[in-house]
Amino acid sequence: MKIAVSSPDNLADFLRAKGIELDMRCGGTGRCGGCRVKLISGEWRCGETPAFPPEVVPACRTRLVGGRGVVEIPERDNSYAENISDMDIFGLPATPDTVVAVDVGTTTLAAIKIRDGAIIASSGAFNPQLRYGDNVLSRIAHVAAPGGLTELQSAILDSLRKLLDELDPTGVDRIAVSGNTVMCCLLHGVDPAMIGVYPFAPPQREFPPRRDLLPPFELLTLPCISGYLGGDITSGLYASRLRPGEMLVDLGTNCEIVFNTGNGFVGTSAAAGPAFEGVGLRCGMRAAPGAIEHYADDGCRVVGNIAARGICGSAYVDYLAVERAAGRLNEFGRFVSPAETYREIAPGVGIGENDVEQLLKAKAAIASGISALEGYCGVRADKLVLAGGFAAGLSPDNAVAIGMLPQQRKMLKIGNASLSGAAALASRPELYGELLRLSRLPREIPLAELPGFERRFVSALMLP
Ligand code: FES
């Protein structure tokens, strides 16, 4: 599709005003390349340098310098689409209703349509709020801008309508969503500012059923636990039936952790960032066709068995483990060969030292969150219950090898637990009372209040 441009505004802003949504998963910082367009004619500047047709440029960094220009927008490919199977969702309720369940993540949205206990369609998208920042704090900050709350709410509602269209809304009885507390607040048009300041209390933990947000459908929302433990973790508690000695670890942009110590439930959340969801990295992408999903010394496995287009979180973990074991990465994540700062692992697809730095910060946040919570409780978890889309493809051995997960624990993966809870509530609204009961079990301890967290984080930045 070719578009005529006459405005000197930022090109991504100009296109958005025209109703053209680009993939802006790095929040417009020029790092992800998702918003690339081709210059066809006109005089342009990309960042500080002139750009000339037929260059391909990130729209978020580009503006027209004078006169008129034309750009070509690539056809939207299917790189966002989720392939969610029944295997990824715990205990799909077998009711005759046709319902939709949505996991509203900080970085991604995943949606499924269910009938008779089976998934009949699935879809996904990057959260369009990414253009306002890649974490919950930047979204909260945007709410303070004039019209910010309305912008964020409209962005998520628009995206949910598109997902519904992709799933075909015909015959849908109701929709349920599960997400972290900030995402739930923004969806309902509630100002989440209180979550950004001590004591991080949420303005609302429960959200009433709504018929005005996605008419004509009734929209149900999972109850949240606290400011940083959301409805996605309530879903995780429902899906995991967490027993004494078990720790639920939801590996998302925010790594949320709940430990059933046997003397109660204690939880915390660590800001891992979106690196393992493929955001902010040179060749990062979701686990969609063309994504390298596993990396080994003897080659890569690509989703869909097609040419590699990028790398998803599970392969990044493999990469760190394999390259460190082979002695090609040092303990600081630097390439041992001094001439190298970037290494290609498939034609046109590779990993740079900057990427490794982001990955090490993400894995350190997860590792230190787990160990600090165990330290606070004075007891070790016997079993880790791993939730989240990224966890589903993860090699636990490699996650242990890079120090992201602790050694010598039993591990169980439960897939996208947030979707499981949403599916349960959408199919059986009478479960709300039980979900509310679960949401009241954990006591949240802010990460900064866990003794030794900073020391643990710094030491976890190293590769073992
Ligand atoms: S949004 Fe433009 S490069 Fe990421």
Side-chain angles (χ1 to χ4, degrees), residues 85-152:
S85 75
D86 295 4
M87 299 295 290
D88 298 319
I89 309 297
F90 167 86
L92 274 173
T95 59
D97 291 358
T98 302
V99 298
V100 168
V102 189
D103 167 33
V104 180
T106 311
T107 303
T108 57
L109 313 176
I112 52 175
K113 185 174 173 183
I114 309 157
R115 187 184 302 140
D116 291 328
I119 295 173
I120 55 174
S122 66
S123 189
F126 281 106
N127 187 328
Q129 296 172 345
L130 278 168
R131 63 176 174 261
Y132 304 108
D134 68 7
N135 59 66
V136 290
L137 289 177
S138 50
R139 309 279 168 84
I140 291 173
H142 188 71
V143 170
L149 180 57
T150 307
E151 272 179 326
L152 289 163

Coordinates of all heavy atoms in Angstrom, one line a residue, residues 85-152:
S85 N -2.7 -24.0 21.0 CA -3.4 -25.2 20.8 C -4.0 -25.6 22.2 O -3.7 -24.9 23.2 CB -2.5 -26.3 20.4 OG -1.7 -26.7 21.5
D86 N -4.9 -26.6 22.2 CA -5.5 -27.0 23.4 C -4.5 -27.4 24.5 O -4.7 -27.3 25.7 CB -6.4 -28.2 23.2 CG -7.6 -27.9 22.3 OD1 -7.7 -26.7 21.8 OD2 -8.5 -28.8 22.1
M87 N -3.3 -27.8 24.0 CA -2.2 -28.3 24.9 C -1.7 -27.1 25.7 O -1.1 -27.3 26.8 CB -1.1 -28.9 24.1 CG -1.4 -30.1 23.3 SD -1.9 -31.5 24.3 CE -0.4 -31.9 25.1
D88 N -1.8 -25.9 25.2 CA -1.2 -24.7 25.9 C -2.1 -24.2 27.0 O -1.8 -23.3 27.8 CB -1.0 -23.6 24.9 CG 0.0 -24.0 23.8 OD1 0.9 -24.6 24.2 OD2 -0.3 -23.6 22.7
I89 N -3.4 -24.7 27.0 CA -4.4 -24.2 28.0 C -4.8 -25.3 29.0 O -5.2 -26.3 28.5 CB -5.6 -23.6 27.3 CG1 -5.2 -22.6 26.1 CG2 -6.6 -22.9 28.2 CD1 -4.5 -21.4 26.6
F90 N -4.7 -24.9 30.2 CA -5.0 -25.9 31.3 C -6.5 -26.1 31.4 O -7.2 -25.0 31.6 CB -4.4 -25.5 32.6 CG -4.9 -26.2 33.8 CD1 -4.3 -27.4 34.2 CD2 -6.0 -25.7 34.5 CE1 -4.8 -28.1 35.3 CE2 -6.4 -26.4 35.6 CZ -5.8 -27.6 36.0
G91 N -7.0 -27.3 31.4 CA -8.4 -27.6 31.7 C -9.5 -26.7 31.0 O -10.2 -26.0 31.7
L92 N -9.5 -26.8 29.7 CA -10.5 -26.0 29.0 C -11.9 -26.5 29.4 O -12.3 -27.7 29.3 CB -10.4 -26.2 27.5 CG -9.4 -25.3 26.8 CD1 -9.2 -25.7 25.4 CD2 -9.8 -23.8 26.9
P93 N -12.8 -25.6 29.9 CA -14.1 -26.0 30.3 C -15.0 -26.4 29.1 O -15.0 -25.8 28.1 CB -14.7 -24.8 31.0 CG -13.6 -23.8 31.2 CD -12.6 -24.1 30.1
A94 N -15.6 -27.6 29.3 CA -16.4 -28.1 28.1 C -17.9 -27.7 28.3 O -18.8 -28.4 28.6 CB -16.3 -29.6 28.1
T95 N -18.1 -26.4 28.0 CA -19.5 -25.9 28.0 C -19.9 -25.6 26.6 O -19.1 -25.4 25.7 CB -19.6 -24.6 28.9 OG1 -18.8 -23.6 28.3 CG2 -19.2 -24.8 30.3
P96 N -21.2 -25.6 26.3 CA -21.7 -25.5 24.9 C -21.6 -24.0 24.5 O -21.7 -23.7 23.3 CB -23.1 -25.9 24.9 CG -23.5 -25.8 26.4 CD -22.3 -26.0 27.2
D97 N -21.4 -23.1 25.4 CA -21.3 -21.6 25.0 C -20.1 -21.4 24.1 O -19.1 -22.1 24.2 CB -21.1 -20.7 26.2 CG -22.4 -20.7 27.1 OD1 -23.4 -21.4 26.7 OD2 -22.3 -20.1 28.2
T98 N -20.2 -20.4 23.2 CA -19.0 -20.0 22.4 C -18.5 -18.7 23.1 O -19.2 -17.7 23.3 CB -19.5 -19.6 21.0 OG1 -20.1 -20.8 20.5 CG2 -18.3 -19.2 20.2
V99 N -17.3 -18.8 23.6 CA -16.7 -17.7 24.3 C -15.3 -17.3 23.8 O -14.7 -18.1 23.1 CB -16.6 -18.0 25.8 CG1 -18.0 -18.3 26.4 CG2 -15.7 -19.2 26.1
V100 N -14.9 -16.1 24.2 CA -13.5 -15.7 23.8 C -12.8 -15.4 25.1 O -13.3 -14.7 26.0 CB -13.6 -14.4 22.9 CG1 -12.2 -13.8 22.8 CG2 -14.1 -14.8 21.5
A101 N -11.5 -15.8 25.2 CA -10.6 -15.5 26.3 C -9.4 -14.7 25.8 O -8.9 -15.1 24.7 CB -10.2 -16.8 27.0
V102 N -9.1 -13.7 26.5 CA -7.9 -12.9 26.1 C -7.0 -12.7 27.2 O -7.4 -12.3 28.3 CB -8.4 -11.5 25.6 CG1 -7.3 -10.7 24.9 CG2 -9.6 -11.6 24.6
D103 N -5.7 -12.9 26.9 CA -4.6 -12.5 27.8 C -4.1 -11.2 27.4 O -3.5 -11.0 26.3 CB -3.5 -13.6 27.7 CG -2.2 -13.2 28.4 OD1 -2.3 -12.4 29.4 OD2 -1.2 -13.6 27.9
V104 N -4.3 -10.2 28.2 CA -3.8 -8.8 27.9 C -2.5 -8.6 28.6 O -2.4 -8.3 29.8 CB -4.8 -7.7 28.3 CG1 -4.3 -6.3 28.0 CG2 -6.2 -8.0 27.7
G105 N -1.4 -8.8 27.9 CA -0.1 -8.6 28.4 C 0.5 -7.2 28.2 O -0.1 -6.5 27.3
T106 N 1.5 -6.9 28.9 CA 2.1 -5.6 28.6 C 2.7 -5.5 27.2 O 2.7 -4.4 26.6 CB 3.3 -5.4 29.7 OG1 2.8 -5.7 31.0 CG2 3.8 -3.9 29.6
T107 N 3.2 -6.6 26.7 CA 3.8 -6.6 25.4 C 2.9 -7.2 24.3 O 2.9 -6.8 23.2 CB 5.2 -7.4 25.5 OG1 6.0 -6.7 26.5 CG2 5.9 -7.3 24.2
T108 N 2.3 -8.3 24.7 CA 1.5 -9.0 23.7 C 0.1 -9.3 24.2 O -0.2 -9.3 25.4 CB 2.1 -10.3 23.3 OG1 2.3 -11.1 24.5 CG2 3.5 -10.2 22.7
L109 N -0.8 -9.5 23.2 CA -2.2 -9.9 23.5 C -2.4 -11.3 22.8 O -1.9 -11.5 21.7 CB -3.2 -9.0 22.8 CG -3.0 -7.5 23.0 CD1 -4.0 -6.7 22.2 CD2 -3.1 -7.1 24.5
A110 N -3.0 -12.2 23.5 CA -3.3 -13.5 22.9 C -4.8 -13.8 23.1 O -5.3 -13.6 24.2 CB -2.5 -14.6 23.5
A111 N -5.5 -14.3 22.1 CA -6.9 -14.5 22.2 C -7.3 -15.8 21.6 O -6.7 -16.3 20.7 CB -7.7 -13.4 21.5
I112 N -8.2 -16.5 22.3 CA -8.7 -17.8 21.8 C -10.3 -17.8 21.8 O -10.9 -17.1 22.6 CB -8.2 -19.0 22.6 CG1 -8.5 -18.8 24.1 CG2 -6.8 -19.3 22.3 CD1 -8.1 -20.0 24.9
K113 N -10.8 -18.5 20.8 CA -12.3 -18.7 20.8 C -12.5 -20.1 21.1 O -11.8 -21.0 20.6 CB -12.8 -18.3 19.4 CG -14.3 -18.4 19.2 CD -14.6 -17.8 17.8 CE -16.1 -18.0 17.5 NZ -16.4 -17.6 16.1
I114 N -13.5 -20.4 22.0 CA -13.6 -21.7 22.6 C -15.1 -22.2 22.4 O -16.0 -21.4 22.6 CB -13.3 -21.8 24.1 CG1 -11.9 -21.1 24.4 CG2 -13.4 -23.2 24.7 CD1 -11.8 -20.6 25.8
R115 N -15.2 -23.4 22.0 CA -16.6 -24.0 22.1 C -16.4 -25.5 22.4 O -15.5 -26.1 22.0 CB -17.2 -23.9 20.7 CG -18.7 -24.3 20.7 CD -19.3 -24.3 19.3 NE -19.2 -22.9 18.7 CZ -18.9 -22.7 17.4 NH1 -18.7 -23.7 16.6 NH2 -18.9 -21.5 16.9
D116 N -17.4 -26.0 23.3 CA -17.3 -27.4 23.7 C -16.0 -27.8 24.2 O -15.5 -28.9 23.8 CB -17.8 -28.3 22.5 CG -19.2 -28.1 22.1 OD1 -20.0 -27.8 23.1 OD2 -19.6 -28.2 20.9
G117 N -15.3 -27.0 24.9 CA -14.0 -27.4 25.5 C -12.9 -27.5 24.5 O -11.9 -28.1 24.9
A118 N -13.0 -26.9 23.4 CA -11.9 -26.9 22.4 C -11.7 -25.5 21.8 O -12.6 -24.7 21.7 CB -12.2 -27.9 21.3
I119 N -10.4 -25.3 21.5 CA -10.1 -24.0 20.9 C -10.5 -24.1 19.4 O -10.0 -25.0 18.7 CB -8.6 -23.6 21.0 CG1 -8.3 -23.5 22.5 CG2 -8.2 -22.4 20.2 CD1 -6.8 -23.3 22.8
I120 N -11.3 -23.2 18.9 CA -11.7 -23.2 17.5 C -11.0 -22.1 16.7 O -11.1 -22.2 15.4 CB -13.2 -23.2 17.3 CG1 -13.9 -22.0 18.0 CG2 -13.9 -24.5 17.8 CD1 -15.4 -21.9 17.7
A121 N -10.4 -21.2 17.3 CA -9.7 -20.1 16.6 C -8.7 -19.4 17.6 O -9.1 -19.4 18.8 CB -10.6 -19.1 15.9
S122 N -7.6 -19.0 17.1 CA -6.7 -18.2 18.0 C -6.1 -17.0 17.2 O -6.0 -17.1 16.0 CB -5.6 -19.1 18.6 OG -4.8 -19.5 17.5
S123 N -5.7 -16.0 17.9 CA -5.1 -14.9 17.3 C -4.3 -14.1 18.3 O -4.3 -14.4 19.5 CB -6.2 -13.9 16.8 OG -5.6 -12.9 16.0
G124 N -3.4 -13.2 17.9 CA -2.6 -12.5 18.8 C -2.1 -11.2 18.2 O -2.2 -11.0 16.9
A125 N -1.6 -10.3 19.0 CA -1.0 -9.1 18.5 C -0.1 -8.5 19.5 O -0.1 -8.9 20.7 CB -2.2 -8.1 18.3
F126 N 0.8 -7.6 19.1 CA 1.5 -6.8 20.0 C 0.6 -5.9 20.7 O -0.3 -5.4 20.0 CB 2.7 -6.1 19.4 CG 3.9 -7.0 19.1 CD1 4.2 -7.4 17.8 CD2 4.7 -7.5 20.2 CE1 5.2 -8.3 17.6 CE2 5.7 -8.3 20.0 CZ 6.0 -8.7 18.7
N127 N 0.8 -5.6 21.9 CA -0.1 -4.6 22.6 C 0.2 -3.2 22.0 O 1.4 -2.7 22.0 CB 0.3 -4.6 24.1 CG -0.7 -3.7 24.9 OD1 -1.2 -2.7 24.4 ND2 -1.0 -4.1 26.1
P128 N -0.8 -2.6 21.4 CA -0.6 -1.3 20.7 C -0.1 -0.2 21.6 O 0.4 0.8 21.2 CB -1.9 -1.0 20.1 CG -2.9 -1.7 20.9 CD -2.2 -2.9 21.4
Q129 N -0.3 -0.4 23.0 CA 0.2 0.6 23.9 C 1.7 0.7 23.9 O 2.3 1.5 24.6 CB -0.3 0.3 25.3 CG -1.8 0.3 25.5 CD -2.3 -0.2 26.8 OE1 -1.5 -0.8 27.5 NE2 -3.5 0.1 27.1
L130 N 2.4 -0.3 23.3 CA 3.9 -0.3 23.2 C 4.4 1.1 22.7 O 5.5 1.5 23.1 CB 4.4 -1.4 22.3 CG 4.5 -2.8 23.0 CD1 4.7 -3.8 21.9 CD2 5.6 -2.8 24.0
R131 N 3.6 1.7 21.9 CA 4.2 3.0 21.3 C 4.2 4.1 22.4 O 4.9 5.1 22.2 CB 3.3 3.5 20.2 CG 1.9 3.8 20.5 CD 1.2 4.4 19.2 NE -0.2 4.6 19.4 CZ -1.1 3.7 19.0 NH1 -0.8 2.6 18.3 NH2 -2.4 4.0 19.2
Y132 N 3.6 3.8 23.6 CA 3.7 4.8 24.7 C 4.7 4.3 25.7 O 4.9 4.9 26.8 CB 2.4 4.9 25.4 CG 1.3 5.3 24.4 CD1 0.3 4.5 24.0 CD2 1.3 6.6 23.8 CE1 -0.7 4.8 23.1 CE2 0.3 7.0 22.9 CZ -0.6 6.1 22.5 OH -1.6 6.5 21.6
G133 N 5.5 3.2 25.5 CA 6.5 2.7 26.4 C 6.3 1.2 26.5 O 5.3 0.6 26.3
D134 N 7.5 0.6 26.9 CA 7.5 -0.9 26.9 C 7.3 -1.5 28.2 O 7.5 -2.7 28.4 CB 8.8 -1.4 26.2 CG 10.0 -1.2 27.0 OD1 9.9 -0.7 28.1 OD2 11.1 -1.4 26.4
N135 N 6.9 -0.8 29.3 CA 6.7 -1.4 30.6 C 5.6 -0.6 31.3 O 5.1 0.4 30.8 CB 8.0 -1.4 31.4 CG 8.5 0.1 31.6 OD1 7.8 0.9 32.3 ND2 9.6 0.4 31.1
V136 N 5.1 -1.2 32.4 CA 3.9 -0.7 33.0 C 4.2 0.8 33.6 O 3.3 1.6 33.6 CB 3.3 -1.6 34.1 CG1 2.7 -2.8 33.5 CG2 4.4 -1.9 35.2
L137 N 5.4 1.0 34.0 CA 5.7 2.4 34.6 C 5.6 3.4 33.5 O 5.1 4.5 33.7 CB 7.0 2.4 35.2 CG 7.1 1.6 36.5 CD1 8.5 1.6 37.1 CD2 6.1 2.1 37.6
S138 N 6.0 3.1 32.3 CA 6.0 4.1 31.2 C 4.5 4.3 30.8 O 4.1 5.4 30.4 CB 6.8 3.8 30.0 OG 6.6 2.5 29.6
R139 N 3.7 3.3 30.9 CA 2.2 3.5 30.6 C 1.6 4.3 31.6 O 0.8 5.2 31.4 CB 1.5 2.1 30.5 CG 2.2 1.1 29.7 CD 1.9 1.2 28.2 NE 2.8 0.3 27.5 CZ 2.6 -1.0 27.3 NH1 1.5 -1.5 27.7 NH2 3.5 -1.7 26.6
I140 N 2.0 4.1 32.9 CA 1.4 4.9 34.0 C 1.8 6.4 33.8 O 1.0 7.3 33.9 CB 1.9 4.4 35.4 CG1 1.3 3.0 35.7 CG2 1.6 5.4 36.5 CD1 1.8 2.4 36.9
A141 N 3.1 6.6 33.4 CA 3.6 8.0 33.1 C 2.8 8.6 32.0 O 2.4 9.8 32.1 CB 5.1 7.9 32.8
H142 N 2.4 7.8 31.0 CA 1.6 8.4 29.9 C 0.2 8.9 30.3 O -0.3 9.8 29.7 CB 1.6 7.4 28.7 CG 1.0 8.1 27.5 ND1 1.6 9.0 26.7 CD2 -0.3 8.0 26.9 CE1 0.9 9.4 25.8 NE2 -0.3 8.8 25.8
V143 N -0.3 8.2 31.3 CA -1.6 8.6 31.8 C -1.6 10.0 32.3 O -2.7 10.7 32.2 CB -2.1 7.6 32.9 CG1 -3.4 8.1 33.6 CG2 -2.4 6.2 32.3
A144 N -0.5 10.5 32.8 CA -0.4 11.9 33.3 C -0.5 12.9 32.2 O -0.8 14.1 32.4 CB 0.9 12.0 34.1
A145 N -0.2 12.5 30.9 CA -0.3 13.4 29.8 C -1.7 13.7 29.5 O -2.6 12.9 29.7 CB 0.4 12.8 28.6
P146 N -2.0 14.9 28.9 CA -3.4 15.3 28.6 C -4.0 14.2 27.6 O -3.4 13.9 26.6 CB -3.3 16.6 27.9 CG -2.0 17.2 28.3 CD -1.1 16.0 28.6
G147 N -5.1 13.7 28.0 CA -5.8 12.7 27.1 C -5.1 11.3 27.2 O -5.5 10.4 26.4
G148 N -4.1 11.2 28.0 CA -3.3 9.9 28.0 C -4.1 8.7 28.3 O -3.9 7.6 27.7
L149 N -4.9 8.8 29.4 CA -5.7 7.6 29.8 C -6.7 7.2 28.6 O -6.8 6.0 28.3 CB -6.5 7.9 31.0 CG -7.4 6.8 31.6 CD1 -6.5 5.5 31.9 CD2 -8.1 7.2 32.9
T150 N -7.3 8.2 28.0 CA -8.2 7.8 26.9 C -7.4 7.2 25.7 O -7.9 6.2 25.1 CB -8.9 9.1 26.4 OG1 -9.5 9.7 27.5 CG2 -9.9 8.8 25.4
E151 N -6.2 7.7 25.5 CA -5.4 7.2 24.4 C -5.1 5.7 24.6 O -5.2 4.8 23.8 CB -4.1 7.9 24.2 CG -4.2 9.1 23.3 CD -2.8 9.9 23.3 OE1 -2.1 9.9 24.3 OE2 -2.6 10.4 22.2
L152 N -4.6 5.4 25.9 CA -4.3 4.1 26.2 C -5.5 3.1 26.2 O -5.4 2.0 25.7 CB -3.6 4.0 27.6 CG -2.2 4.7 27.6 CD1 -1.8 5.0 29.0 CD2 -1.2 3.7 27.0

